Amino acid sequence: MSAGSDERRPRSTGDLTWEQLETAPPFDRDLEIAVIEGNTIHRVVFPCRRNFGGWSKAKTGEHVAVQPTHWRIWPG
């Protein structure tokens, strides 16, 4: 997946801990999502939002075809 440079994750000053997907907040937060397998992190490089059909790009609403295992708050 790719994203425009304006969508890339800014340098965070907060907590960088990944949380289990089951604890993801409801549908009104920009999140960073990832699939973590062992020590490998495959993260989506743009903010996403949870919706009833899965996940979408926060800025455009375009569906994101990924089944993440982890999340964290996108720094604002």
Side-chain angles (χ1 to χ4, degrees), residues 6-62:
D6 61 325
E7 293 181 313
R8 295 201 184 277
R9 182 179 175 86
R11 192 170 286 232
S12 175
T13 58
D15 184 11
L16 295 179
T17 302
W18 289 99
E19 304 291 342
Q20 294 290 324
L21 188 63
E22 296 78 25
T23 65
F27 310 108
D28 61 346
R29 301 289 307 264
D30 287 357
L31 303 176
E32 181 175 21
I33 58 177
V35 176
I36 299 178
E37 300 172 327
N39 291 329
T40 305
I41 300 172
H42 305 280
R43 68 183 190 90
V44 177
V45 297
F46 45 81
C48 294
R49 288 207 171 193
R50 195 174 175 189
N51 59 46
F52 291 108
W55 296 89
S56 60
K57 289 184 177 183
K59 288 187 178 183
T60 66
E62 178 184 350

